[in-house]
Amino acid sequence: MARKTLHLTALSKISKAITSDLYLEDILKLIVSVTAQSMGSKLCSLMLLNDKGELVIRATQTVSEGYTKKQPVKLGEGISGRVAKENKAVAVYDVQAEPQYKYKEIAKQENICSYLCVPMNVKGKVIGVLNLYTSEPHKFTKGEIDLLSSVAAQAALVIENTELMVKTKVIQEELESRKIVERAKGILMKERSLGEADAYRLLQKYSMDNRKSMRQVAEAIVLSHDMKSKI
């Protein structure tokens, strides 16, 4: 009952983190820290797939340099790579006796024995894995596997939402920049009797000569025009 309470507390903390104003990196660190604590784990880490299709550590509560500097894992390689490729959890009772486990030296140094790896997926697409290790031999129960899978699902959700917000913000900023540049171009065309192409080239030249972005130059032109209109 006590362990179940800890598990529910962990899920509650993670749910609150997802709806907080914390940065993504802080949320991921909180997830691995709370998960390790609630499940009595020696070590917990979160790995995400990069553009090369490799799993890279993005968060862990350990301070071990040997573990945090592990090389990226290719999709299908080792236990974590296999979990990411097959989208299916894998539990290992003894990593030293597991042929597929790649980091036996690190496991020995860190006194790691049992290992549970679950996939992180969004709408069926795997984006990474969540790893859990124990220092004593441990047979992971279905309840523990389900709990870690729930944590992984929530972690995947926060990553998807954060990336979506970033993309949306970038798109909005791009549209705003285009609008302001178009307005500045129109002002130059009218005030200097320039064609559209010449007005745009003038904006570009001023931007390059003064090491300012096109938006900064355009905003200055619009501001100056608006001030003149009010005087």
Side-chain angles (χ1 to χ4, degrees):
M1 181 62 72
R3 180 174 284 275
K4 187 174 181 180
T5 301
L6 279 172
H7 291 176
L8 291 173
T9 301
L11 287 174
S12 175
K13 287 182 179 179
I14 291 165
S15 295
K16 287 178 181 177
I18 288 174
T19 57
S20 74
D21 293 327
L22 291 173
Y23 289 106
L24 178 61
E25 295 298 324
D26 295 323
I27 293 175
L28 298 185
K29 288 177 183 176
L30 178 63
I31 287 171
V32 295
S33 177
V34 170
T35 303
Q37 182 181 10
S38 68
M39 297 190 72
S41 170
K42 166 73 178 179
L43 190 156
C44 181
S45 69
L46 187 152
M47 305 175 79
L48 296 179
L49 284 169
N50 62 17
D51 295 336
K52 298 178 182 178
E54 301 170 325
L55 288 167
V56 180
I57 295 175
R58 286 289 301 275
T60 176
Q61 97 289 7
T62 184
V63 293
S64 166
E65 192 172 322
Y67 186 85
T68 55
K69 288 190 174 182
K70 285 197 322 182
Q71 292 296 310
V73 178
K74 294 179 181 179
L75 196 63
E77 181 182 37
I79 301 294
S80 55
R82 178 180 140 205
V83 168
K85 185 177 182 179
E86 299 178 359
N87 194 14
K88 186 178 179 181
V90 170
V92 178
Y93 184 73
D94 183 1
V95 294
Q96 295 293 341
E98 173 55 53
Q100 272 198 307
Y101 189 77
K102 293 182 58 182
Y103 304 101
K104 289 184 171 61
E105 279 303 313
I106 294 177
K108 190 175 181 180
Q109 292 169 10
E110 296 299 312
N111 190 31
I112 290 171
C113 185
S114 299
Y115 169 43
L116 173 61
C117 180
V118 300
M120 296 169 54
N121 66 77
V122 179
K123 297 175 183 176
K125 179 184 177 182
V126 176
I127 64 169
V129 298
L130 193 58
N131 302 302
L132 191 74
Y133 303 84
T134 65
S135 54
E136 298 292 333
H138 181 77
K139 186 174 177 60
F140 290 98
T141 65
K142 183 181 182 301
E144 289 171 327
I145 295 172
D146 288 344
L147 172 67
L148 196 64
S149 296
S150 296
V151 172
Q154 292 200 43
L157 181 63
V158 71
I159 292 166
E160 181 193 34
N161 288 343
T162 302
E163 289 181 345
L164 181 60
M165 284 189 289
V166 169
K167 286 177 182 177
T168 302
K169 186 177 180 182
V170 169
I171 292 170
Q172 287 176 340
E173 288 178 351
E174 178 64 25
L175 289 173
E176 288 300 318
S177 295
R178 288 183 183 181
K179 286 179 183 178
I180 201 80
V181 167
E182 284 298 312
R183 189 176 172 202
K185 189 171 68 175
I187 292 170
L188 289 176
M189 290 169 66
K190 184 176 180 181
E191 290 185 350
R192 303 199 183 189
S193 300
L194 297 172
E196 185 175 350
D198 289 333
Y200 188 77
R201 278 194 291 269
L202 185 59
L203 281 169
Q204 281 185 317
K205 186 177 186 306
Y206 196 88
S207 172
M208 293 173 65
D209 290 346
N210 293 275
R211 295 181 180 180
K212 301 285 186 183
S213 70
M214 287 281 281
R215 177 166 181 164
Q216 288 175 311
V217 173
E219 285 175 340
I221 291 171
V222 171
L223 179 62
S224 175
H225 176 268
D226 289 347
M227 288 181 68
K228 288 177 184 177
S229 300
K230 293 176 181 178
I231 294 175

Tab-separated table of all heavy atoms in Angstrom, residues 86-145:
chain	number	residue	atom	x	y	z
A	86	GLU	N	11.020	-1.588	-31.364
A	86	GLU	CA	9.866	-2.483	-31.287
A	86	GLU	C	8.678	-1.881	-30.539
A	86	GLU	O	7.602	-2.458	-30.517
A	86	GLU	CB	10.287	-3.805	-30.622
A	86	GLU	CG	11.368	-4.548	-31.412
A	86	GLU	CD	11.820	-5.825	-30.715
A	86	GLU	OE1	11.308	-6.120	-29.608
A	86	GLU	OE2	12.694	-6.520	-31.269
A	87	ASN	N	8.908	-0.713	-29.872
A	87	ASN	CA	7.850	-0.054	-29.107
A	87	ASN	C	7.258	-0.995	-28.051
A	87	ASN	O	6.044	-1.098	-27.890
A	87	ASN	CB	6.753	0.454	-30.044
A	87	ASN	CG	5.812	1.439	-29.365
A	87	ASN	OD1	6.109	1.945	-28.283
A	87	ASN	ND2	4.673	1.710	-29.990
A	88	LYS	N	8.158	-1.675	-27.353
A	88	LYS	CA	7.734	-2.654	-26.352
A	88	LYS	C	8.716	-2.667	-25.178
A	88	LYS	O	9.930	-2.671	-25.379
A	88	LYS	CB	7.681	-4.046	-26.989
A	88	LYS	CG	7.114	-5.124	-26.096
A	88	LYS	CD	7.056	-6.453	-26.853
A	88	LYS	CE	6.503	-7.568	-25.971
A	88	LYS	NZ	6.462	-8.867	-26.688
A	89	ALA	N	8.185	-2.665	-23.946
A	89	ALA	CA	9.017	-2.644	-22.744
A	89	ALA	C	9.840	-3.918	-22.600
A	89	ALA	O	9.408	-4.999	-23.006
A	89	ALA	CB	8.146	-2.450	-21.505
A	90	VAL	N	11.043	-3.775	-22.018
A	90	VAL	CA	11.906	-4.928	-21.761
A	90	VAL	C	12.451	-4.820	-20.339
A	90	VAL	O	12.940	-3.767	-19.933
A	90	VAL	CB	13.090	-4.981	-22.756
A	90	VAL	CG1	14.104	-6.043	-22.323
A	90	VAL	CG2	12.594	-5.273	-24.166
A	91	ALA	N	12.340	-5.910	-19.578
A	91	ALA	CA	12.888	-5.971	-18.222
A	91	ALA	C	14.028	-6.982	-18.194
A	91	ALA	O	13.915	-8.069	-18.762
A	91	ALA	CB	11.793	-6.370	-17.235
A	92	VAL	N	15.132	-6.608	-17.548
A	92	VAL	CA	16.303	-7.485	-17.450
A	92	VAL	C	16.619	-7.708	-15.975
A	92	VAL	O	16.826	-6.747	-15.233
A	92	VAL	CB	17.524	-6.857	-18.157
A	92	VAL	CG1	18.740	-7.761	-18.009
A	92	VAL	CG2	17.219	-6.600	-19.628
A	93	TYR	N	16.677	-8.976	-15.562
A	93	TYR	CA	16.921	-9.290	-14.160
A	93	TYR	C	18.370	-9.005	-13.768
A	93	TYR	O	18.647	-8.472	-12.701
A	93	TYR	CB	16.584	-10.760	-13.896
A	93	TYR	CG	16.706	-11.150	-12.439
A	93	TYR	CD1	15.765	-10.724	-11.505
A	93	TYR	CD2	17.762	-11.956	-12.005
A	93	TYR	CE1	15.872	-11.078	-10.168
A	93	TYR	CE2	17.880	-12.322	-10.672
A	93	TYR	CZ	16.937	-11.880	-9.759
A	93	TYR	OH	17.057	-12.221	-8.439
A	94	ASP	N	19.307	-9.360	-14.637
A	94	ASP	CA	20.730	-9.139	-14.362
A	94	ASP	C	21.423	-8.653	-15.633
A	94	ASP	O	21.613	-9.422	-16.572
A	94	ASP	CB	21.370	-10.437	-13.863
A	94	ASP	CG	22.844	-10.261	-13.498
A	94	ASP	OD1	23.371	-9.133	-13.617
A	94	ASP	OD2	23.471	-11.257	-13.093
A	95	VAL	N	21.792	-7.378	-15.653
A	95	VAL	CA	22.394	-6.806	-16.866
A	95	VAL	C	23.744	-7.445	-17.196
A	95	VAL	O	24.147	-7.519	-18.360
A	95	VAL	CB	22.561	-5.267	-16.747
A	95	VAL	CG1	21.207	-4.577	-16.675
A	95	VAL	CG2	23.422	-4.885	-15.546
A	96	GLN	N	24.458	-7.921	-16.171
A	96	GLN	CA	25.768	-8.538	-16.412
A	96	GLN	C	25.645	-9.849	-17.184
A	96	GLN	O	26.568	-10.251	-17.897
A	96	GLN	CB	26.490	-8.796	-15.076
A	96	GLN	CG	26.856	-7.543	-14.294
A	96	GLN	CD	27.919	-6.718	-14.991
A	96	GLN	OE1	28.640	-7.207	-15.857
A	96	GLN	NE2	28.034	-5.444	-14.625
A	97	ALA	N	24.479	-10.486	-17.050
A	97	ALA	CA	24.259	-11.761	-17.732
A	97	ALA	C	23.474	-11.607	-19.035
A	97	ALA	O	23.200	-12.595	-19.711
A	97	ALA	CB	23.510	-12.723	-16.796
A	98	GLU	N	23.146	-10.370	-19.384
A	98	GLU	CA	22.353	-10.107	-20.585
A	98	GLU	C	23.261	-9.754	-21.764
A	98	GLU	O	23.922	-8.711	-21.764
A	98	GLU	CB	21.372	-8.960	-20.319
A	98	GLU	CG	20.605	-8.473	-21.531
A	98	GLU	CD	19.857	-9.567	-22.256
A	98	GLU	OE1	19.085	-10.296	-21.597
A	98	GLU	OE2	20.063	-9.697	-23.481
A	99	PRO	N	23.329	-10.600	-22.785
A	99	PRO	CA	24.213	-10.360	-23.935
A	99	PRO	C	23.945	-9.048	-24.663
A	99	PRO	O	24.868	-8.419	-25.179
A	99	PRO	CB	23.931	-11.557	-24.853
A	99	PRO	CG	23.365	-12.614	-23.950
A	99	PRO	CD	22.597	-11.871	-22.909
A	100	GLN	N	22.681	-8.622	-24.700
A	100	GLN	CA	22.331	-7.401	-25.437
A	100	GLN	C	22.676	-6.116	-24.692
A	100	GLN	O	22.695	-5.052	-25.286
A	100	GLN	CB	20.843	-7.394	-25.782
A	100	GLN	CG	20.514	-8.093	-27.101
A	100	GLN	CD	19.144	-7.671	-27.603
A	100	GLN	OE1	18.154	-7.751	-26.891
A	100	GLN	NE2	19.076	-7.220	-28.841
A	101	TYR	N	22.936	-6.242	-23.396
A	101	TYR	CA	23.247	-5.027	-22.629
A	101	TYR	C	24.675	-4.577	-22.927
A	101	TYR	O	25.630	-5.321	-22.713
A	101	TYR	CB	23.052	-5.259	-21.119
A	101	TYR	CG	23.143	-3.969	-20.332
A	101	TYR	CD1	22.071	-3.072	-20.321
A	101	TYR	CD2	24.296	-3.635	-19.640
A	101	TYR	CE1	22.157	-1.885	-19.619
A	101	TYR	CE2	24.380	-2.441	-18.937
A	101	TYR	CZ	23.306	-1.570	-18.938
A	101	TYR	OH	23.402	-0.382	-18.253
A	102	LYS	N	24.835	-3.345	-23.409
A	102	LYS	CA	26.115	-2.884	-23.933
A	102	LYS	C	27.084	-2.341	-22.883
A	102	LYS	O	28.292	-2.354	-23.078
A	102	LYS	CB	25.874	-1.757	-24.960
A	102	LYS	CG	25.183	-2.200	-26.221
A	102	LYS	CD	25.034	-1.033	-27.162
A	102	LYS	CE	26.401	-0.430	-27.490
A	102	LYS	NZ	26.277	0.746	-28.364
A	103	TYR	N	26.559	-1.826	-21.772
A	103	TYR	CA	27.407	-1.058	-20.857
A	103	TYR	C	27.701	-1.797	-19.550
A	103	TYR	O	27.436	-1.309	-18.460
A	103	TYR	CB	26.742	0.290	-20.569
A	103	TYR	CG	26.460	1.067	-21.831
A	103	TYR	CD1	25.174	1.088	-22.374
A	103	TYR	CD2	27.466	1.754	-22.489
A	103	TYR	CE1	24.908	1.785	-23.539
A	103	TYR	CE2	27.205	2.458	-23.662
A	103	TYR	CZ	25.925	2.466	-24.178
A	103	TYR	OH	25.665	3.159	-25.330
A	104	LYS	N	28.269	-2.974	-19.675
A	104	LYS	CA	28.520	-3.791	-18.489
A	104	LYS	C	29.552	-3.170	-17.558
A	104	LYS	O	29.466	-3.301	-16.337
A	104	LYS	CB	28.964	-5.202	-18.913
A	104	LYS	CG	27.825	-6.025	-19.536
A	104	LYS	CD	28.267	-7.434	-19.859
A	104	LYS	CE	27.095	-8.311	-20.271
A	104	LYS	NZ	26.411	-7.838	-21.478
A	105	GLU	N	30.536	-2.487	-18.113
A	105	GLU	CA	31.560	-1.845	-17.279
A	105	GLU	C	30.945	-0.728	-16.434
A	105	GLU	O	31.247	-0.596	-15.254
A	105	GLU	CB	32.702	-1.285	-18.145
A	105	GLU	CG	33.726	-2.316	-18.563
A	105	GLU	CD	34.364	-3.017	-17.359
A	105	GLU	OE1	34.769	-2.315	-16.409
A	105	GLU	OE2	34.446	-4.262	-17.366
A	106	ILE	N	30.095	0.074	-17.074
A	106	ILE	CA	29.426	1.162	-16.351
A	106	ILE	C	28.493	0.582	-15.293
A	106	ILE	O	28.415	1.079	-14.169
A	106	ILE	CB	28.631	2.058	-17.325
A	106	ILE	CG1	29.598	2.780	-18.271
A	106	ILE	CG2	27.773	3.065	-16.569
A	106	ILE	CD1	28.912	3.627	-19.322
A	107	ALA	N	27.803	-0.505	-15.640
A	107	ALA	CA	26.891	-1.163	-14.695
A	107	ALA	C	27.661	-1.658	-13.472
A	107	ALA	O	27.184	-1.546	-12.342
A	107	ALA	CB	26.179	-2.327	-15.376
A	108	LYS	N	28.860	-2.178	-13.718
A	108	LYS	CA	29.689	-2.661	-12.623
A	108	LYS	C	30.147	-1.516	-11.737
A	108	LYS	O	30.112	-1.595	-10.501
A	108	LYS	CB	30.905	-3.409	-13.199
A	108	LYS	CG	31.712	-4.161	-12.160
A	108	LYS	CD	32.806	-4.970	-12.843
A	108	LYS	CE	33.600	-5.756	-11.802
A	108	LYS	NZ	34.686	-6.547	-12.445
A	109	GLN	N	30.579	-0.432	-12.363
A	109	GLN	CA	31.046	0.737	-11.617
A	109	GLN	C	29.922	1.379	-10.809
A	109	GLN	O	30.130	1.840	-9.689
A	109	GLN	CB	31.614	1.779	-12.593
A	109	GLN	CG	32.909	1.352	-13.271
A	109	GLN	CD	33.297	2.288	-14.408
A	109	GLN	OE1	32.713	3.365	-14.580
A	109	GLN	NE2	34.272	1.887	-15.206
A	110	GLU	N	28.728	1.393	-11.378
A	110	GLU	CA	27.585	2.039	-10.732
A	110	GLU	C	26.791	1.086	-9.838
A	110	GLU	O	25.794	1.482	-9.242
A	110	GLU	CB	26.642	2.609	-11.800
A	110	GLU	CG	27.235	3.706	-12.645
A	110	GLU	CD	27.631	4.906	-11.822
A	110	GLU	OE1	26.820	5.367	-10.998
A	110	GLU	OE2	28.774	5.382	-11.991
A	111	ASN	N	27.241	-0.162	-9.754
A	111	ASN	CA	26.554	-1.183	-8.952
A	111	ASN	C	25.100	-1.349	-9.404
A	111	ASN	O	24.158	-1.347	-8.614
A	111	ASN	CB	26.592	-0.812	-7.463
A	111	ASN	CG	26.111	-1.950	-6.574
A	111	ASN	OD1	26.271	-3.124	-6.898
A	111	ASN	ND2	25.501	-1.602	-5.448
A	112	ILE	N	24.929	-1.497	-10.724
A	112	ILE	CA	23.603	-1.688	-11.320
A	112	ILE	C	23.374	-3.169	-11.577
A	112	ILE	O	24.253	-3.860	-12.076
A	112	ILE	CB	23.500	-0.913	-12.651
A	112	ILE	CG1	23.460	0.594	-12.382
A	112	ILE	CG2	22.264	-1.340	-13.427
A	112	ILE	CD1	23.574	1.429	-13.633
A	113	CYS	N	22.187	-3.645	-11.230
A	113	CYS	CA	21.884	-5.062	-11.425
A	113	CYS	C	20.701	-5.269	-12.379
A	113	CYS	O	20.863	-5.790	-13.468
A	113	CYS	CB	21.593	-5.722	-10.085
A	113	CYS	SG	21.338	-7.510	-10.233
A	114	SER	N	19.501	-4.853	-11.960
A	114	SER	CA	18.309	-5.063	-12.794
A	114	SER	C	17.953	-3.789	-13.562
A	114	SER	O	18.305	-2.680	-13.158
A	114	SER	CB	17.129	-5.504	-11.935
A	114	SER	OG	17.422	-6.733	-11.289
A	115	TYR	N	17.218	-3.979	-14.660
A	115	TYR	CA	16.990	-2.865	-15.579
A	115	TYR	C	15.623	-2.995	-16.254
A	115	TYR	O	15.230	-4.072	-16.687
A	115	TYR	CB	18.110	-2.896	-16.620
A	115	TYR	CG	17.988	-2.014	-17.825
A	115	TYR	CD1	17.553	-0.694	-17.731
A	115	TYR	CD2	18.345	-2.500	-19.086
A	115	TYR	CE1	17.478	0.103	-18.851
A	115	TYR	CE2	18.284	-1.699	-20.217
A	115	TYR	CZ	17.839	-0.392	-20.090
A	115	TYR	OH	17.772	0.396	-21.203
A	116	LEU	N	14.913	-1.886	-16.291
A	116	LEU	CA	13.616	-1.842	-16.984
A	116	LEU	C	13.641	-0.667	-17.963
A	116	LEU	O	13.984	0.456	-17.592
A	116	LEU	CB	12.475	-1.652	-15.978
A	116	LEU	CG	11.072	-1.422	-16.559
A	116	LEU	CD1	10.620	-2.606	-17.400
A	116	LEU	CD2	10.067	-1.151	-15.433
A	117	CYS	N	13.291	-0.938	-19.192
A	117	CYS	CA	13.266	0.094	-20.229
A	117	CYS	C	11.899	0.090	-20.900
A	117	CYS	O	11.439	-0.957	-21.352
A	117	CYS	CB	14.370	-0.154	-21.256
A	117	CYS	SG	14.442	1.078	-22.586
A	118	VAL	N	11.248	1.243	-20.938
A	118	VAL	CA	9.927	1.340	-21.585
A	118	VAL	C	9.960	2.414	-22.670
A	118	VAL	O	10.685	3.402	-22.552
A	118	VAL	CB	8.804	1.666	-20.566
A	118	VAL	CG1	8.712	0.593	-19.501
A	118	VAL	CG2	9.029	3.028	-19.933
A	119	PRO	N	9.198	2.226	-23.744
A	119	PRO	CA	9.193	3.214	-24.828
A	119	PRO	C	8.364	4.446	-24.479
A	119	PRO	O	7.413	4.370	-23.701
A	119	PRO	CB	8.555	2.447	-25.990
A	119	PRO	CG	7.661	1.456	-25.324
A	119	PRO	CD	8.349	1.058	-24.043
A	120	MET	N	8.750	5.564	-25.033
A	120	MET	CA	7.975	6.796	-24.933
A	120	MET	C	7.393	7.041	-26.318
A	120	MET	O	8.155	7.165	-27.281
A	120	MET	CB	8.867	7.982	-24.530
A	120	MET	CG	9.473	7.846	-23.148
A	120	MET	SD	10.759	9.104	-22.881
A	120	MET	CE	9.852	10.591	-23.263
A	121	ASN	N	6.089	7.043	-26.429
A	121	ASN	CA	5.520	7.249	-27.759
A	121	ASN	C	4.353	8.218	-27.746
A	121	ASN	O	3.664	8.365	-26.744
A	121	ASN	CB	5.120	5.916	-28.390
A	121	ASN	CG	3.990	5.245	-27.659
A	121	ASN	OD1	2.843	5.648	-27.807
A	121	ASN	ND2	4.290	4.219	-26.871
A	122	VAL	N	4.186	8.883	-28.871
A	122	VAL	CA	3.095	9.827	-29.068
A	122	VAL	C	2.304	9.365	-30.288
A	122	VAL	O	2.846	9.293	-31.392
A	122	VAL	CB	3.626	11.260	-29.305
A	122	VAL	CG1	2.463	12.217	-29.542
A	122	VAL	CG2	4.470	11.723	-28.138
A	123	LYS	N	1.046	8.983	-30.060
A	123	LYS	CA	0.173	8.490	-31.138
A	123	LYS	C	0.831	7.339	-31.903
A	123	LYS	O	0.798	7.277	-33.128
A	123	LYS	CB	-0.165	9.635	-32.094
A	123	LYS	CG	-0.947	10.756	-31.433
A	123	LYS	CD	-1.158	11.930	-32.373
A	123	LYS	CE	-1.890	13.061	-31.660
A	123	LYS	NZ	-2.037	14.271	-32.515
A	124	GLY	N	1.473	6.446	-31.156
A	124	GLY	CA	2.073	5.263	-31.760
A	124	GLY	C	3.480	5.462	-32.280
A	124	GLY	O	4.157	4.495	-32.644
A	125	LYS	N	3.965	6.704	-32.299
A	125	LYS	CA	5.309	6.983	-32.798
A	125	LYS	C	6.269	7.125	-31.625
A	125	LYS	O	6.089	7.954	-30.736
A	125	LYS	CB	5.316	8.273	-33.627
A	125	LYS	CG	6.693	8.637	-34.152
A	125	LYS	CD	6.661	9.973	-34.871
A	125	LYS	CE	8.061	10.366	-35.333
A	125	LYS	NZ	8.070	11.702	-35.992
A	126	VAL	N	7.315	6.283	-31.599
A	126	VAL	CA	8.283	6.305	-30.504
A	126	VAL	C	9.211	7.505	-30.651
A	126	VAL	O	9.778	7.748	-31.720
A	126	VAL	CB	9.117	5.004	-30.480
A	126	VAL	CG1	10.190	5.076	-29.396
A	126	VAL	CG2	8.212	3.802	-30.239
A	127	ILE	N	9.362	8.272	-29.561
A	127	ILE	CA	10.262	9.427	-29.582
A	127	ILE	C	11.442	9.244	-28.631
A	127	ILE	O	12.376	10.041	-28.641
A	127	ILE	CB	9.510	10.726	-29.214
A	127	ILE	CG1	8.982	10.642	-27.769
A	127	ILE	CG2	8.394	10.999	-30.191
A	127	ILE	CD1	8.465	11.979	-27.248
A	128	GLY	N	11.397	8.168	-27.811
A	128	GLY	CA	12.487	7.920	-26.878
A	128	GLY	C	12.166	6.778	-25.943
A	128	GLY	O	11.210	6.019	-26.171
A	129	VAL	N	12.969	6.650	-24.880
A	129	VAL	CA	12.751	5.586	-23.889
A	129	VAL	C	13.006	6.126	-22.483
A	129	VAL	O	13.709	7.119	-22.308
A	129	VAL	CB	13.682	4.367	-24.126
A	129	VAL	CG1	13.422	3.738	-25.475
A	129	VAL	CG2	15.145	4.758	-23.984
A	130	LEU	N	12.431	5.452	-21.507
A	130	LEU	CA	12.655	5.771	-20.100
A	130	LEU	C	13.303	4.552	-19.466
A	130	LEU	O	12.798	3.434	-19.587
A	130	LEU	CB	11.322	6.104	-19.420
A	130	LEU	CG	11.381	6.749	-18.030
A	130	LEU	CD1	12.163	8.064	-18.073
A	130	LEU	CD2	9.962	7.019	-17.525
A	131	ASN	N	14.462	4.753	-18.821
A	131	ASN	CA	15.228	3.656	-18.222
A	131	ASN	C	15.182	3.703	-16.703
A	131	ASN	O	15.292	4.784	-16.107
A	131	ASN	CB	16.699	3.750	-18.646
A	131	ASN	CG	16.882	3.726	-20.146
A	131	ASN	OD1	16.472	2.790	-20.813
A	131	ASN	ND2	17.505	4.766	-20.689
A	132	LEU	N	15.055	2.533	-16.094
A	132	LEU	CA	15.043	2.435	-14.639
A	132	LEU	C	15.982	1.305	-14.214
A	132	LEU	O	15.922	0.209	-14.769
A	132	LEU	CB	13.623	2.140	-14.151
A	132	LEU	CG	13.371	2.260	-12.650
A	132	LEU	CD1	13.330	3.730	-12.240
A	132	LEU	CD2	12.047	1.595	-12.278
A	133	TYR	N	16.861	1.580	-13.250
A	133	TYR	CA	17.843	0.590	-12.810
A	133	TYR	C	17.754	0.378	-11.294
A	133	TYR	O	17.404	1.301	-10.552
A	133	TYR	CB	19.265	1.063	-13.123
A	133	TYR	CG	19.541	1.389	-14.564
A	133	TYR	CD1	19.221	2.645	-15.078
A	133	TYR	CD2	20.141	0.473	-15.422
A	133	TYR	CE1	19.485	2.975	-16.408
A	133	TYR	CE2	20.419	0.790	-16.747
A	133	TYR	CZ	20.086	2.047	-17.222
A	133	TYR	OH	20.362	2.374	-18.533
A	134	THR	N	18.088	-0.830	-10.850
A	134	THR	CA	18.160	-1.107	-9.410
A	134	THR	C	19.542	-1.666	-9.069
A	134	THR	O	20.218	-2.240	-9.927
A	134	THR	CB	17.098	-2.137	-8.967
A	134	THR	OG1	17.380	-3.404	-9.585
A	134	THR	CG2	15.698	-1.681	-9.376
A	135	SER	N	19.961	-1.488	-7.824
A	135	SER	CA	21.275	-1.990	-7.401
A	135	SER	C	21.190	-3.421	-6.872
A	135	SER	O	22.198	-4.112	-6.764
A	135	SER	CB	21.867	-1.073	-6.322
A	135	SER	OG	20.960	-0.915	-5.257
A	136	GLU	N	19.972	-3.861	-6.566
A	136	GLU	CA	19.757	-5.234	-6.099
A	136	GLU	C	18.959	-6.004	-7.153
A	136	GLU	O	18.180	-5.400	-7.896
A	136	GLU	CB	18.970	-5.242	-4.772
A	136	GLU	CG	19.666	-4.547	-3.616
A	136	GLU	CD	20.908	-5.287	-3.167
A	136	GLU	OE1	20.955	-6.525	-3.350
A	136	GLU	OE2	21.839	-4.632	-2.649
A	137	PRO	N	19.148	-7.329	-7.244
A	137	PRO	CA	18.363	-8.121	-8.198
A	137	PRO	C	16.871	-7.906	-7.948
A	137	PRO	O	16.410	-7.972	-6.812
A	137	PRO	CB	18.769	-9.562	-7.884
A	137	PRO	CG	20.125	-9.438	-7.266
A	137	PRO	CD	20.092	-8.175	-6.479
A	138	HIS	N	16.138	-7.614	-9.004
A	138	HIS	CA	14.721	-7.285	-8.846
A	138	HIS	C	13.922	-7.766	-10.052
A	138	HIS	O	14.279	-7.489	-11.191
A	138	HIS	CB	14.554	-5.766	-8.689
A	138	HIS	CG	13.132	-5.335	-8.500
A	138	HIS	ND1	12.468	-5.468	-7.299
A	138	HIS	CD2	12.237	-4.774	-9.368
A	138	HIS	CE1	11.238	-5.002	-7.425
A	138	HIS	NE2	11.071	-4.589	-8.678
A	139	LYS	N	12.857	-8.477	-9.771
A	139	LYS	CA	11.956	-8.916	-10.839
A	139	LYS	C	10.815	-7.905	-10.921
A	139	LYS	O	9.992	-7.809	-10.011
A	139	LYS	CB	11.416	-10.311	-10.541
A	139	LYS	CG	10.576	-10.884	-11.682
A	139	LYS	CD	10.202	-12.323	-11.399
A	139	LYS	CE	9.310	-12.900	-12.484
A	139	LYS	NZ	9.946	-12.893	-13.810
A	140	PHE	N	10.814	-7.120	-11.992
A	140	PHE	CA	9.809	-6.066	-12.124
A	140	PHE	C	8.414	-6.663	-12.312
A	140	PHE	O	8.204	-7.555	-13.133
A	140	PHE	CB	10.150	-5.155	-13.307
A	140	PHE	CG	11.360	-4.307	-13.077
A	140	PHE	CD1	12.594	-4.692	-13.584
A	140	PHE	CD2	11.282	-3.136	-12.329
A	140	PHE	CE1	13.729	-3.919	-13.366
A	140	PHE	CE2	12.408	-2.363	-12.101
A	140	PHE	CZ	13.640	-2.747	-12.625
A	141	THR	N	7.469	-6.142	-11.524
A	141	THR	CA	6.087	-6.621	-11.602
A	141	THR	C	5.347	-5.906	-12.745
A	141	THR	O	5.812	-4.886	-13.258
A	141	THR	CB	5.338	-6.331	-10.294
A	141	THR	OG1	5.240	-4.897	-10.126
A	141	THR	CG2	6.074	-6.926	-9.104
A	142	LYS	N	4.193	-6.450	-13.088
A	142	LYS	CA	3.376	-5.835	-14.124
A	142	LYS	C	2.965	-4.426	-13.692
A	142	LYS	O	2.927	-3.485	-14.504
A	142	LYS	CB	2.130	-6.672	-14.396
A	142	LYS	CG	1.264	-6.107	-15.530
A	142	LYS	CD	0.035	-6.955	-15.759
A	142	LYS	CE	-0.801	-6.423	-16.929
A	142	LYS	NZ	-1.252	-5.019	-16.710
A	143	GLY	N	2.698	-4.269	-12.387
A	143	GLY	CA	2.312	-2.957	-11.862
A	143	GLY	C	3.421	-1.934	-12.030
A	143	GLY	O	3.169	-0.777	-12.374
A	144	GLU	N	4.660	-2.356	-11.790
A	144	GLU	CA	5.801	-1.451	-11.940
A	144	GLU	C	6.034	-1.087	-13.407
A	144	GLU	O	6.348	0.062	-13.733
A	144	GLU	CB	7.051	-2.095	-11.337
A	144	GLU	CG	7.017	-2.165	-9.825
A	144	GLU	CD	8.144	-2.998	-9.249
A	144	GLU	OE1	8.556	-3.982	-9.917
A	144	GLU	OE2	8.599	-2.681	-8.142
A	145	ILE	N	5.871	-2.083	-14.264
A	145	ILE	CA	6.031	-1.821	-15.709
A	145	ILE	C	4.940	-0.869	-16.188
A	145	ILE	O	5.203	0.062	-16.956
A	145	ILE	CB	5.987	-3.141	-16.509
A	145	ILE	CG1	7.191	-4.013	-16.139
A	145	ILE	CG2	5.972	-2.870	-18.000
A	145	ILE	CD1	7.160	-5.413	-16.723
